[in-house]
Amino acid sequence: MGEDSDNRDDPTAALAEELLAELPDDPREPLSETNTALLDDLLAGDQRALARVLTTIEDRGEGARDLLAALHRHADPTPVVGITGSPGAGKSTLVDKLTDYYRERGETVGVLAVDPASPYTGGSVLGDRIRMGSTAGDEGVFVRSMSARGRLGGLSMATTDAVTAYEAFGMDRIIIETVGAGQNEVDIVETADTVAVVVQPGSGDDIQLLKAGILEIGDLFVVNKADMDEAAQTVADLEAMVHGAKPTGGVAGHHSADVGVGGDESGERDAAEADNTDTQADDGGEGETATWTPPVIETIATSGEGIDALADAVADHTAHLDNAGGATGRRRRRAAATIQRLLRSDLGAISDRLLGAHGGLDAIAAAVAERDADPYTVVDRLVGPIDAAVSPPTVDGDTTEDGERSAVDDTDELR
């Protein structure tokens, strides 16, 4: 019991020492001469260096990992606002006006406009910066269009890494506009601190669809083009959906309770602790309720109406996160998502090498197609040695000889 309590207070206590090996005193140490110059110029506020760093990140150029590791050492947490919703809702215009709002108050803004990926080059297609023209030439604003790289969740690994670059650059605000593909765009919840879902009036059917996906991740709901006749009904529909449910947010600030880095029982503990906080709040003490009910805001982005209310709602949600301790939970959530994406990427590359080492995918697929083998047994045999390497030891502390022999035999059979 005591050990479990200690691990909960310090989640890093159970980590292997090699994972937390001491970092080099100078983050530039592993960098090439070119990337060292890029890092220094970026930290000095050179936007051209920032653009080149983002290109290196997106292209996964040579030394990109080392460069990102160095950037991470210099990245101070910055409020990240995610703007998502259906195509045609006016997200780009809204981002443009919100950027204007922050610039009028002297804040620097980094915008990441995530576009659909070209099926031929993998690059971005739309170039949303065209619809963000009012900030052109403003050195306090940096807009970058990035490809979704085919991710159904709406964000690529490069987008998450670009946030790190913006933070290291020293941006005061970061805004991410997602592709606008509908329910699939849930990756934004892992990257943004505040998620604003933009809906256009008259989209009653769309709102019903959103209930199954995007509706659950919104911290704010924005009815844009509020001068349209259907706006009042759209607002009423959203209000009914938002306020008809149990107050949401918890420590994380989103509709789901915050999950721990493991994404399992720790999340249940956090939810239970949040419920305890809510109960204690009845006494009127420090434990104000940690729940957050998403507001519904009306805007007319083309004229700028309602942008002040949107910015105020973002500020309120940021304050809510800070007061509820959710900012720390959100940083852990973002770190967990980054680690998992990196692992999937690297393991995917390892799987390609594994197939190549055993004759190649075409040869193995041909054998499966001819019924000389089945895909399930083949994959089990391919991953057997890897699984054995990461499996926990047996009770006596030694891997069984049978397990070792089985892994070797499976590997031999594939040769």
Side-chain angles (χ1 to χ4, degrees), residues 115-269:
D115 290 333
S118 164
Y120 303 106
T121 66
S124 58
V125 173
L126 294 178
D128 281 350
R129 69 183 69 195
I130 297 171
R131 295 187 294 277
M132 301 176 191
S134 68
T135 56
D138 185 346
E139 293 187 358
V141 178
F142 190 95
V143 181
R144 178 73 175 216
S145 295
M146 304 192 80
S147 168
R149 300 288 179 180
R151 278 191 62 88
L152 291 178
L155 296 185
S156 67
M157 186 71 226
T159 305
T160 306
D161 293 337
V163 170
T164 300
Y166 275 166
E167 289 179 330
F169 188 80
M171 291 294 184
D172 297 317
R173 298 275 178 175
I174 299 172
I175 302 175
I176 302 175
E177 180 198 342
T178 68
V179 174
Q183 295 180 50
N184 289 327
E185 294 191 40
V186 295
D187 282 359
I188 189 67
V189 74
E190 298 174 342
T191 304
D193 301 304
T194 300
V195 176
V197 178
V198 185
V199 179
Q200 59 183 334
S203 57
D205 291 339
D206 290 341
I207 292 176
Q208 293 300 323
L209 293 173
L210 290 172
K211 287 176 65 177
I214 283 184
L215 193 65
E216 283 83 356
I217 69 170
D219 299 307
L220 321 169
F221 292 94
V222 182
V223 177
N224 194 28
K225 306 177 184 179
D227 52 342
M228 295 176 63
D229 294 338
E230 300 92 342
Q233 186 59 51
T234 301
V235 171
D237 289 343
L238 276 172
E239 290 279 5
M241 291 178 190
V242 169
H243 297 291
K246 180 181 177 181
T248 59
V251 177
H254 286 294
H255 281 47
S256 59
D258 187 22
V259 296
V261 174
D264 45 20
E265 296 178 351
S266 59
E268 296 176 4
R269 284 198 299 266

Side-chain angles (χ1 to χ4, degrees), residues 269-334:
R269 284 198 299 266
D270 289 342
E273 289 168 4
D275 289 339
N276 291 336
T277 302
D278 294 344
T279 303
Q280 295 169 1
D282 294 337
D283 298 332
E286 293 182 1
E288 287 298 325
T289 179
T291 57
W292 169 265
T293 300
V296 179
I297 302 153
E298 297 179 60
T299 63
I300 306 174
T302 52
S303 65
E305 291 184 47
I307 298 300
D308 289 6
L310 172 58
D312 288 344
V314 171
D316 289 344
H317 186 255
T318 301
H320 161 78
L321 288 179
D322 291 340
N323 293 335
T328 298
R330 190 65 58 81
R331 286 196 297 272
R332 288 187 181 181
R333 181 192 296 269
R334 192 190 303 177

Side-chain angles (χ1 to χ4, degrees), residues 94-115:
L94 200 68
V95 168
D96 191 40
K97 297 300 183 182
L98 188 59
T99 300
D100 277 343
Y101 176 91
Y102 290 131
R103 287 299 297 137
E104 288 172 1
R105 284 149 185 77
E107 297 182 88
T108 56
V109 183
V111 178
L112 292 170
V114 184
D115 290 333

